Amino acid sequence: MDRIGFRIRRAWLPAALAAAAMAGCASVQPWERGVLARDSMALDPAPMASSLSRHVHESREASAGGSAAQGGGCGCN
Amino acid sequence: MAATDRSLARLALAAAALPGLAVRPAAAADEEGIDIQFGHYQEGEVDLGGVRSKHAPIQADSLHARLALRFTGRWRAAFNYVQDAWSGATAVASAPLVSGPNVTWQADGVTGASPYLYLYAQLDERLRPVRRDANGIVAGPDTRVAQTITGASREVRRQLDGTFTREFDLWSMDVGAGTSREPDYRSDFASLAAHWRLGQDRYTLNAALSATSSMTDATLDHDGSPYVYGYYDFLGDNSYNQRHTTSLVKPGDMSPVIHGGRSDWTAGLSLATVITKRSLLEMGVGASRSRGYLGNPYKAMEVAFLDPRQQFGRAGGNPGADYEWDAQVIAIPEERPDTRNGQTFDLRYVRQVGRHEAALHAGYRYYRDDWGIHSHTVELQWVQPLARGWTLTPSVRWYAQSQADFYAPWITSRQGLLNPVTDPQLGQLYINGASPHDGHVYFEDPSIPAPIDNDPNSWNFGNPITGTGGYALVDRTTGKAVDTQDLASSLMPWNALYDQSLLPRHYSADTRLAAFGMLSGSLAIGRAFDNGLSLAFSWEHMRRSAALGLGGGYDTRFADRDADLFSLTLRGELHATAGHPAHAGHVAGDAAMLAPADFLGAHAHAAAGSWMIGYRVERERQGGAMRRDGRVVGDAELVASACPQPGCYARPTDMSMTMQMLEVGYTIRAGLALMAMPQFVDMRMAMRSLVGAPPGDGMGPIDAASMHMHHPHTTSGVGDTPIMVLWHGGDELRFAGGLGISVPTGAAGLRMRPVMARTLGYLDYDMQAGSGTWDLLGAMSVAGGDARLAWGAQAEATLRTGGHNDHGYARGNLLRAYAWAGARLAGPWSVSMRLAWRHEAPMAGAYAGTLVPIVPGDQAWSVGGTRLDAGAGLSLALPALGGMHDRLTLEWLQPLSQRLRGYQLDRQGSVGCSLSLAF
C-alpha cells in the first residue's frame, strides 16, 4: 500500500510542479520579453552541437529514449 | 472592461504574434538558414589488466548538414543529413582477469588479434576467481574483471530526415519523417508534434509522438563468433532460432548473421513557462515503449561452467586442493528482454544573470524503465555573450545510472558446457560424426562379442571392432553391431550443449547496462557576424566512472575511460544579407555565375568583409571492364600480371567515391580572399574472385584477405583540407589566381581489419581518404563574356612537395585543366559545358607496412593516369535566398578518353551538386 502511495505521489510530482510554476509566474507582458527573445535564452542555445553531444551520450548510456529524438542508429559498438 | 484595458489587451496580442516573443525551443530553430557541422569523437583506452589492445579505441567522424526554409508565411521546413563513420576497438564480453581475456604473447604487451573468449579459471568456495602467485600458490580471491576487445569494422551511418511545420494563429504542428541506414542496422521513423501558445505566449504547451521501426542485420564478428557457443547445438542445428521469436540467426558468407526487428514509440508532453522578464522554465514528461529484438548482436556473456564431471579441486573430492571449482569460462550470446518501457521527467530553467546578458541554463532529467535502470542527469550551462559577436559557453554535465536487473560482467552455471547424452539402460550414446543427422544412435554393449575387422586394408585388420570402452558398438535402431572399422572410427560420444533453462532468463555484460556515471565538461566558443554568418567550436571531455553509479551493483571500473568530442559548426542565415552592398551589381560576378561551380573566378566577386559558403557533393563511379593502356583485359591477364607472384585473386567490379566539401571563403579586401575547403569522403569497392586465381595459402593471409571479398570494402572520414589565398583582377578579361596548401587531415593508411587472427595490412591506394602529405596548391583562371554568355579556362596543380608520407608513399602530382562556356537561359536558369583534362603522375614509393596484395589496386603502379572528360551543367540562381550570387548547380562529367596507369577499372563518370551562398 505504501508502495502504491509512493507511486501516486511520484506521478503527481511533475503535475504539482507544473501547477506551481504556472501559478507562480508573474504576468510578463509581451513587450517586456526582449531578454527572453535572445539566442542565449533559447531553451537550447546551440542545437547542432547539443544534437551531436546527445547522440554520443545516448550511444554510451542506457537511458536512451523517452525523448522526441528518433533515428540515431544501432550504437552497437 | 475599460477601453484602455481592451486596447492594452489587443496590443499585447499583436505583440505576442511577433516572432521571438514566445518561448523559443532552440536558437535559430524557426529561422531560415544552413548549418554544417563537423564532429570528431575519440575514446581513450580502457584498462585491460596491463595488456594493451592492438586495436585503436573507438573514434568517429561526423558530418551534419541542416537546411531550414520558410516556404510561405505559414509553412516552414527543416532537413537534416547526418553521416557518421565509426571504427575502432569494441568490447565483446568481460571475464575474470585471471582467466586471461586478453593474453599477450608479444614482448611489447600488445594483445593478439583474436578475442580470447574460451577461457579457464579456478574459483574458491564463494565462486570467486583465485589468483596464483609466482610460485603457483593460491594468493587469494581476485575479483578483477577485464573486457575482451575486438576490432569493429569501419561503418558508416547515414541519416536523412525532414520536418514540415504549419503555423496557425496560436499553435503550430510539426510532421516529420526520416531514415537511418548503416550496414548492420536500419531504422525509419516518423513524428508528430504540436505546440500551443497560451496565455499571451506566457506558456507554450508541447506534445510529441514518434514511432521508429528498426531492423538489425548484423554479421557476427568472424574472429569472435567461432568462440561463441549457443547459436548452434552439438549436432550443428540452429538452437538460437528455437529459443527466440524476435530475432533469428542465418548462416552468412563469413560468419552467422543475426536478423531482428524492433519498434519504438515515444510520447512526450512539456510545458514552457515565462516566469519573469528574465527567466523561463520548462517541464516535461515522456514515455517510451520498445518491442522486438532489443539486444546487441555483438555482445556476448562469459559463463563459468562448473562441470561436475570436470572438477579436480575440492569440489571434485580432492580435499588437498587449494581451490574449490574448475570453471570453463565460455562466451554465449547475451539475452535481453523483448520489451522495454521507460518514463522520463525533464526540467529546464533558463535565467539571465547580471548586466552582461549572460544566461544560466540548468537542466535535470530523470529516467526509469522496467529493466531496472534509473538515471539522473544534471546539466549546467553558462552562455556568456562577449563583445563583437563572440560567445563563450562553458558547461558541465553529471549523469548517473543504476544497473539493469540482468547485467553481470560474467555469470556461473553448475553444469557442463557439453554434457553427455545417455540412456538410463544403455549408458553413453554415440553418433556418427561424419553423418550426425542420419538418425542412427549407437551404444557400447559389453554383453556381446565385438566383430572382428575382416578388411585387409584396414589398420585394425584382424582385431575386434570396439568403442573407446573396448566393447562392441551397437546400432540402437537396428540392434546390429558395427562391423566396419571406418564407421567405428567416425563414431563419437553424443553430447548436448548446456541447458539454457539452468541459466538466468536474461543476461547481458554490456557495460552500458551497468551502474556507472559520466562526468563531462565542455567549452564552446562562437562568433556571430553581422551578415548572418556564425561559427562555433566546442570541445567536450567526458569521463565514465563506475564510482558514480547508482544503487550498488557490480564494480565496473574495468570499463572506465575518457572520451573527447569536438565539433565545428558553421551557420548562415538566409535572407540575412539581402541588399548587402557587398553584393550589389558586380558585372564580373555575373559572368562567373555561368561558370562551373569549382571555377576559381566564381568566388571572386565579393567585397571586403563578405563571406561565401559553398557545399559541394561529388560522386564518381567506376565499373565495367578492367583496362590496361586503354584495352580491356580479362581475368587471365589480371591473374598473371596485375599482382606480384603468385598473382591476383580478385578484381574490383564496382567502385564509387563520394566527396562532400564545405567551402568557406572570406574576402580580406577587394580582390583578395581566403578559402578553406574541408572535405568528408566515402569510398566503396565491391569485388569478385578471378577465374583461374592461384590456389589459396591454407588459411594464411591470402585466404583471410580473400574472405573480405564477400562484402564491399568501405572507408569514410575526413579528407585532406585545402587552404588557399585567391586574388583576382581585370576588366574585360578577368583573371584569378590561387596559391595554397593541402593539409593532410585525411587518413592515408587505412587498413583492412584482421580476419582469423591474420593481419591484412593496407587497403587499396584509391580507398585512402587522404594523401598523407603536405601538398602545394596552385591555380589560375581567365574568364570573359557577360551575364548572358560567358567563357573561361582554368589550370590547377597539386604538387607533392612533402616527400613520402608516414606509410611510405607519396601520390603523384595532380594536374587539371579545363575550358568552359556558359549561357543564361530563361529566368534563373543557365547551362554550362566544359572539356576537362586530368593527369595524375606516378606514385613515389609504396606501402611500407604489411600488405596482402590480392587485387590490382594494391599495387602502386596501378594508380593514376590521364583522362579527358566532357561535362554539362545546369545552374539555378537563387536570389530569393538573399545573396545576389547564390546558386545551385548540377553537373555531369563523362569520360571521353582515359589512359589509366597499370590495371584499373573503367571510369564511368561523375555527378556533382553545389550550393553556393554569399553573405
Side-chain angles (χ1 to χ4, degrees), chain B residues 38 597-600 603 612-616 659-665 673-681 718-726 738-743 745 777 779 794 796:
Chain B
F38 285 92
D598 58 350
F599 184 60
L600 218 54
H603 307 311
M612 193 283 293
I613 296 179
Y615 178 65
R616 192 191 312 171
M659 179 200 69
Q660 299 175 75
M661 176 189 281
L662 176 67
E663 298 172 302
V664 184
L674 189 66
M675 291 281 298
M677 291 160 277
Q679 303 170 16
F680 203 93
V681 294
V718 173
D720 290 345
T721 305
I723 298 174
M724 295 185 80
V725 175
L726 307 177
L739 197 62
I741 54 169
S742 173
V743 183
T745 45
L777 306 175
Q794 179 162 312
E796 307 167 23

Side-chain angles (χ1 to χ4, degrees), chain A residues 7 10 13-15 17-19 21-77, chain B residues 12 15 20-21 24-27 35 37 41 43 64 84 90 157 159 182 185 189 191 200-203 210 266 271 274-283 288 296 298 340 344-345 348 352 357 359 361 365 367-368 373 375 381 383 397 399 401 512 516 518 540 561 565:
Chain A
R7 282 186 179 175
R10 195 159 53 179
L13 183 64
L17 278 170
M22 291 182 73
C25 58
S27 179
V28 180
Q29 299 302 328
W31 54 85
E32 296 177 311
R33 297 180 195 171
V35 169
L36 303 179
R38 291 175 183 156
D39 279 354
S40 60
M41 291 294 288
L43 289 169
D44 188 352
M48 292 286 283
S50 59
S51 166
L52 178 63
S53 177
R54 188 166 55 243
H55 177 54
V56 166
H57 286 296
E58 286 184 351
S59 71
R60 288 289 173 261
E61 297 164 358
S63 54
S67 70
Q70 308 94 22
C74 179
C76 299
N77 291 318
Chain B
L21 292 186
R24 301 175 63 197
D35 294 84
Q37 176 175 270
Y41 174 72
E43 284 190 353
H64 181 179
D84 308 322
T90 186
R157 181 183 75 91
Q159 178 173 323
E182 55 196 302
Y185 195 79
F189 48 90
S191 64
Q200 295 183 359
D201 281 349
R202 278 161 54 199
Y203 312 108
S210 75
T266 65
L271 179 70
V274 173
I275 298 180
T276 70
K277 288 182 281 188
R278 299 172 187 280
S279 60
L280 306 166
L281 181 71
E282 185 187 49
M283 284 171 293
S288 61
N296 186 328
Y298 304 122
R340 189 180 190 185
T344 60
F345 169 64
R348 180 161 284 275
Q352 192 213 14
E357 301 186 359
H361 291 245
R365 184 169 191 259
Y367 170 90
R368 51 159 286 181
I373 296 169
S375 72
Q381 189 177 46
V383 185
R397 178 181 185 272
Y399 169 86
Q401 71 174 50
R512 283 171 281 204
F516 70 94
M518 190 83 87
E540 180 178 359
R561 47 154 176 67
L565 175 65

Side-chain angles (χ1 to χ4, degrees), chain B residues 571-908:
Chain B
R571 175 176 175 76
E573 291 177 13
L574 303 181
H575 286 303
T577 57
H580 193 292
H583 307 288
H586 289 270
V587 176
D590 288 339
M593 284 284 280
L594 305 180
D598 58 350
F599 184 60
L600 218 54
H603 307 311
H605 55 264
S610 60
W611 287 82
M612 193 283 293
I613 296 179
Y615 178 65
R616 192 191 312 171
V617 183
E618 284 182 14
R619 182 175 176 83
E620 180 178 302
R621 186 172 167 266
Q622 293 173 256
M626 293 290 292
R627 290 182 186 271
R628 173 156 201 188
D629 296 331
R631 64 182 171 82
V632 175
V633 297
D635 285 12
E637 182 173 341
L638 292 173
V639 170
S641 308
C643 298
Q645 287 297 327
C648 280
Y649 289 78
R651 54 154 286 189
T653 55
D654 188 74
M655 295 178 72
S656 65
M657 191 279 286
T658 305
M659 179 200 69
Q660 299 175 75
M661 176 189 281
L662 176 67
E663 298 172 302
V664 184
Y666 177 72
T667 305
I668 302 166
R669 62 173 172 77
L672 189 67
L674 189 66
M675 291 281 298
M677 291 160 277
Q679 303 170 16
F680 203 93
V681 294
D682 292 277
M683 269 79 69
R684 180 182 185 280
M685 179 173 73
M687 293 159 286
R688 70 162 172 82
S689 301
L690 288 171
V691 176
D697 57 353
M699 302 312 281
I702 294 284
D703 283 352
S706 298
M707 291 181 74
H708 273 299
M709 284 189 298
H710 299 296
H711 59 86
H713 287 178
T714 57
T715 56
S716 178
V718 173
D720 290 345
T721 305
I723 298 174
M724 295 185 80
V725 175
L726 307 177
W727 67 92
H728 66 97
D731 188 13
E732 289 295 315
L733 282 179
R734 271 86 63 188
F735 298 94
L739 197 62
I741 54 169
S742 173
V743 183
T745 45
L750 295 172
R751 294 168 166 87
M752 283 189 277
R753 63 157 298 181
V755 175
M756 300 184 304
R758 305 294 183 190
T759 300
L760 303 180
Y762 293 105
L763 285 159
D764 294 20
Y765 290 99
D766 281 340
M767 294 291 285
Q768 302 295 341
S771 68
T773 51
W774 291 82
D775 305 326
L776 189 64
L777 306 175
M780 61 177 66
S781 73
V782 60
D786 55 31
R788 290 180 297 110
L789 197 65
W791 58 270
Q794 179 162 312
E796 307 167 23
T798 302
L799 304 176
R800 318 289 181 182
T801 57
H804 293 180
N805 59 27
D806 293 342
H807 307 283
Y809 70 96
R811 303 264 331 191
N813 293 334
L814 183 63
L815 305 175
R816 290 178 63 203
Y818 64 86
W820 62 270
R824 182 168 302 286
L825 303 176
W829 298 95
S830 63
V831 292
S832 68
M833 307 284 288
R834 74 162 135 177
L835 196 63
W837 173 84
R838 185 184 191 278
H839 172 78
E840 185 176 352
M843 283 183 36
Y847 284 134
T850 303
L851 175 70
V852 180
I854 61 166
V855 293
D858 292 325
Q859 304 304 311
W861 52 272
S862 282
V863 175
T866 306
R867 71 177 198 257
L868 187 67
D869 295 341
L874 183 66
S875 182
L876 173 66
L878 302 167
L881 296 183
M884 290 291 290
H885 300 94
D886 295 347
R887 63 173 179 151
L888 183 69
T889 61
L890 188 69
E891 186 181 33
W892 173 265
L893 278 172
Q894 179 67 33
L896 292 180
S897 72
Q898 44 191 323
R899 199 167 189 84
L900 306 175
R901 190 167 297 106
Y903 293 92
Q904 294 191 50
L905 196 57
D906 249 355
R907 251 74 180 175
Q908 299 288 303

Side-chain angles (χ1 to χ4, degrees), chain B residues 143-154:
Chain B
T143 57
R144 291 178 297 166
V145 172
Q147 292 174 299
T148 300
I149 299 295
T150 187
S153 298
R154 191 170 182 84

